[in-house]
Amino acid sequence: NAGVTQTPKFRVLKTGQSMTLLCAQDMNHEYMYWYRQDPGMGLRLIHYSVGEGTTAKGEVPDGYNVSRLKKQNFLLGLESAAPSQTSVYFCASSPPGLAPHEQFFGPGTRLTVL
Amino acid sequence: SQQGEEDPQALSIQEGENATMNCSYKTSINNLQWYRQNSGRGLVHLILIRSNEREKHSGRLRVTLDTSKKSSSLLITASRAADTASYFCATALSDSSYKLIFGSGTRLLVRP
């Protein structure tokens, strides 16, 4: 099993450009998450999904959109990139439960917005 | 400030020594989890302790949880150079079944 994979690994954008980050998991997990990690900080939740066709806002959703058309995929979109969105983006997935289980993380996407 | 805050922010020890990291949080939790992140990599889950548990072991890891003080500690015994990484605590709030709140992490350096 590949676990959680992210595409691309690196990307450089100019201010105003758009892009989509793809996350895929092969563990049949219901829950998926997008986080951003900035230097010296922990992870901040951008958006999450508790099942196919559902999405919800996290702690820092502004400037991002997401879609979960298939259970195994969770897409993160930046419609008009800004320098403040320079960060490392991590996708994670977890099985459902009454309380949060462990999350399985992808390797990350390093995004630079010039 | 964040729900989970680790202390210290950075720790440097000699190989073979024990490393202790602490995490404090503010609100009621369902469980608390510890993750490791090697440089340039994603996070890897280490251990989960539920709110009704006080101590848990996994190999060289020992986690304690004190809900009255809203704090947890992670002890790594007999550290190795390969333990060099950042360690994060993540709290699962009582009112959510899917969200974790991550702290800012402790950077551990184990010198050979």
Side-chain angles (χ1 to χ4, degrees):
Chain A
N1 289 348
V4 180
T5 57
Q6 293 183 232
T7 309
K9 289 185 170 50
F10 303 93
R11 186 73 185 268
V12 178
L13 290 178
K14 294 181 179 178
T15 296
Q17 288 185 318
S18 63
M19 78 164 295
T20 300
L21 283 68
L22 171 63
C23 175
Q25 53 96 2
D26 61 3
M27 296 172 284
N28 203 34
H29 286 166
E30 288 293 332
Y31 300 162
M32 296 188 74
Y33 313 82
W34 275 107
Y35 295 92
R36 60 177 289 173
Q37 183 178 37
D38 299 297
M41 297 182 68
L43 275 68
R44 290 184 292 170
L45 183 64
I46 304 171
H47 285 281
Y48 63 98
S49 168
V50 299
E52 182 178 315
T54 72
T55 63
K57 294 180 180 179
E59 182 186 358
V60 288
D62 294 343
Y64 305 95
N65 57 74
V66 288
S67 65
R68 183 102 181 264
L69 298 180
K70 293 183 178 180
K71 185 177 182 178
Q72 62 267 35
N73 296 338
F74 195 28
L75 279 63
L76 177 70
L78 285 72
E79 291 186 348
S80 179
S84 61
Q85 294 178 304
T86 293
S87 189
V88 182
Y89 292 85
F90 289 99
C91 176
S93 70
S94 69
L98 295 177
H101 291 271
E102 67 173 287
Q103 293 185 8
F104 295 79
F105 283 82
T109 294
R110 187 173 296 274
L111 175 66
T112 302
V113 182
L114 303 176
Chain B
S1 58
Q2 295 192 36
Q3 158 75 344
E5 294 188 0
E6 287 92 340
D7 171 63
Q9 290 186 330
L11 181 61
S12 178
I13 60 173
Q14 202 73 34
E15 203 165 27
E17 294 180 337
N18 295 341
T20 299
M21 288 158 264
N22 303 296
C23 172
S24 60
Y25 58 92
K26 298 183 187 300
T27 59
S28 178
I29 63 170
N30 207 306
N31 65 61
L32 186 145
Q33 304 177 26
W34 285 91
Y35 289 79
R36 183 187 73 227
Q37 183 181 35
N38 291 93
S39 181
R41 302 285 190 94
L43 278 70
V44 175
H45 182 266
L46 294 176
I47 197 165
L48 181 154
I49 186 166
R50 293 181 174 78
S51 59
N52 60 355
E53 297 175 313
R54 292 295 167 259
E55 187 171 313
K56 205 162 183 180
H57 296 255
S58 177
R60 293 184 295 113
L61 305 181
R62 172 178 168 254
V63 170
T64 61
L65 178 64
D66 187 334
T67 52
S68 66
K69 295 182 179 178
K70 291 187 170 55
S71 67
S72 173
S73 68
L74 171 67
L75 169 67
I76 303 174
T77 60
S79 64
R80 306 165 181 168
D83 294 328
T84 293
S86 291
Y87 292 82
F88 295 88
C89 71
T91 50
L93 303 184
S94 296
D95 61 355
S96 172
S97 63
Y98 18 82
K99 286 196 289 185
L100 293 177
I101 308 296
F102 287 83
S104 54
T106 292
R107 294 188 310 280
L108 174 65
L109 171 65
V110 181
R111 305 186 305 275

